[in-house]
Amino acid sequence: MPLRHFQNRQPHSSPSLSWNGRYVAALVQQGNQRLALIEDRVSGNLHRLPLPADNTAVRLSLSPEARQLAVQVTQAGQWRVQLFDLRSLLEPDLPGGTAVQGGGAQTSP
Amino acid sequence: MPQPIAPLNSRLEAIGVNRDPALSGRWLALISGRGGREQVLLLDLERHQPIDLPGLNRADAQPVSVSVDAAGERIALVRQLEGRTELVLYRRSAQSLQPIPMLPSGVARQVQLQADGRQLAVEVSRGGIWQVDLVQIP
């Protein structure tokens, strides 16, 4: 099942889904950068996590309701975990909602 | 734009060197190291407090991957103990630890617990091939 915004940014790693599959978070490669992205499969929007240039994302975890994102980064050779609040950015994807089927919306963000 | 949660990030900084985060509900499970030893840590994100996990962490075990359900009740853990890698399920209310066998046998790596705690997905190496197993949890 192709993901609109991920296709040209390979390889991917550390995928994380919200409750009903509306949001997919993953790490992708763009040039020499490792980016943390969240794709909204209902609206087609793409959200990029702002990380300082000296931080490299290693692993992430999206909370099932899509309220928070935890990112493991390396900074100066040391691992850290940082938490981000997504509530002002994303509608929650609550349990019992409608599962998202297919590859998501094709509209531009 | 996603906003860093500054108070919690400061709290995490103070705890030590952290890796392998797993979010679910109000809970964050991760592997935290200090003084050369790593252990599983469960944080209550509403109270900004670590939660006691009696019987889960062992001085002679090396945690590999951890995941928590949305109720904060079940924690799945891959760990190395006495030269073996094992997958275990911890039930917080009972403080019990239950081994989950790999069938056929294999070496587990990453684990992810479904938010309702009813099944888990685990990466398993068998004969040099990485596979993903889904395991139903009673």
Side-chain angles (χ1 to χ4, degrees), chain A residues 19 48-50 59 61-65 68-72 78-86 88-89, chain B residues 1-5 8-9 12-13 17-25 28 30 38 45 110 112 115-116:
Chain A
W19 263 111
R48 178 176 166 171
L49 193 72
R59 189 175 298 281
S61 174
L62 179 69
S63 69
E65 306 84 1
Q68 291 133 346
L69 185 74
V71 186
Q72 176 189 338
Q78 198 158 48
W79 285 324
R80 302 167 59 199
V81 170
Q82 293 183 299
L83 285 167
F84 292 84
D85 189 345
L86 305 176
S88 63
L89 184 72
Chain B
M1 181 168 288
Q3 296 298 318
I5 307 175
L8 278 167
N9 290 337
L12 287 168
E13 287 282 318
V17 177
N18 302 309
R19 65 177 177 91
D20 280 73
L23 279 168
S24 200
L28 171 67
L30 48 75
E38 289 191 312
L45 299 179
Q110 290 293 320
Q112 186 164 9
D116 63 9

Side-chain angles (χ1 to χ4, degrees), chain A residues 8-29:
Chain A
N8 297 319
R9 295 180 169 109
Q10 294 176 356
H12 309 147
S13 63
S14 200
S16 196
L17 279 169
S18 61
W19 263 111
N20 303 294
R22 173 171 178 174
Y23 302 105
V24 184
L27 299 176
V28 304
Q29 194 73 28

Side-chain angles (χ1 to χ4, degrees), chain B residues 104-121:
Chain B
S105 65
V107 179
R109 187 169 61 174
Q110 290 293 320
V111 66
Q112 186 164 9
L113 198 54
Q114 191 168 304
D116 63 9
R118 291 181 184 165
Q119 64 178 353
L120 59 81

